[in-house]
Amino acid sequence: ILVDRQLRIGGPQLAPHGGADVVRQSMRLAHGFHAKGGLVVVVQSERSGTVSQPPGNELVGEIAPQGSDLLITQHTGCAFHETDLHEKLQGRKIIAVAIAGIATNVDVESTARAAAEHGYRVILVEDAMASMDAAAHAFAITKVFPQLGTVCSADDLLSRLA
């Protein structure tokens, strides 16, 4: 599950990983999952109650869904809240999810909490996510995420897929 990889979300102000690093790691994960027949879910945030979205709301080009990938549009900070993500995962008999994206301590954390509450095995890919500040990212990675699932690097996850 790749959370909030839109042009307007991210950039040089991210920490501890820059936006380009998050995109690169996310693409490595997507390619790894595609190679094994796995599902890639791309989550795009949209503001509700508005006719048009803010500039830069389009997905980063490399992250756009391909083939059988799912595009989930969220209107809150959680990819599961008032979307059909859980139903689509259940329909495919998916029991584990790997989560990456922006921001670590906001939408990624909300999505991870909901995934854990829905009973999924949760894998959080530390170097494929970033926050608006390094301390917030570190707190989520070291204090919150270990309670929700397994924290690993993209390299660790890709080697397990192989």
Side-chain angles (χ1 to χ4, degrees):
I1 301 174
L2 305 175
V3 177
D4 290 355
R5 286 310 307 129
Q6 290 143 246
L7 294 173
R8 69 179 173 82
I9 301 173
Q13 74 277 11
L14 295 174
H17 311 291
D21 293 329
V22 174
V23 168
R24 184 177 54 79
Q25 294 291 46
S26 296
M27 291 312 304
R28 288 182 65 222
L29 293 169
H31 291 310
F33 275 82
H34 287 146
K36 292 297 183 181
L39 176 68
V40 175
V41 177
V42 178
V43 180
Q44 181 174 19
S45 289
E46 286 191 358
R47 295 182 180 163
S48 51
T50 182
V51 176
S52 63
Q53 297 300 312
N57 204 60
E58 60 274 9
L59 292 168
V60 172
E62 301 93 335
I63 302 291
Q66 301 175 15
S68 62
D69 293 352
L70 291 181
L71 175 63
I72 298 295
T73 302
Q74 70 180 21
H75 297 282
T76 67
C78 176
F80 286 92
H81 184 73
E82 295 183 359
T83 72
D84 59 354
L85 177 56
H86 177 59
E87 291 76 17
K88 288 186 175 187
L89 295 176
Q90 279 189 316
R92 289 171 171 82
K93 309 282 190 240
I94 292 172
I95 60 170
V97 294
I99 304 174
I102 298 174
T104 306
N105 59 309
V106 186
D107 290 14
V108 173
E109 183 175 327
S110 293
T111 298
R113 287 179 184 277
E117 289 169 0
H118 279 91
Y120 295 100
R121 178 171 176 242
V122 178
I123 302 162
L124 299 134
V125 189
E126 186 278 330
D127 57 353
M129 61 179 77
S131 188
M132 301 311 160
D133 90 15
H137 174 87
F139 183 84
I141 294 295
T142 61
K143 303 295 184 192
V144 178
F145 288 173
Q147 297 176 47
L148 302 175
T150 302
V151 178
C152 67
S153 69
D155 285 344
D156 290 341
L157 181 54
L158 290 169
S159 70
R160 291 179 191 173
L161 286 176

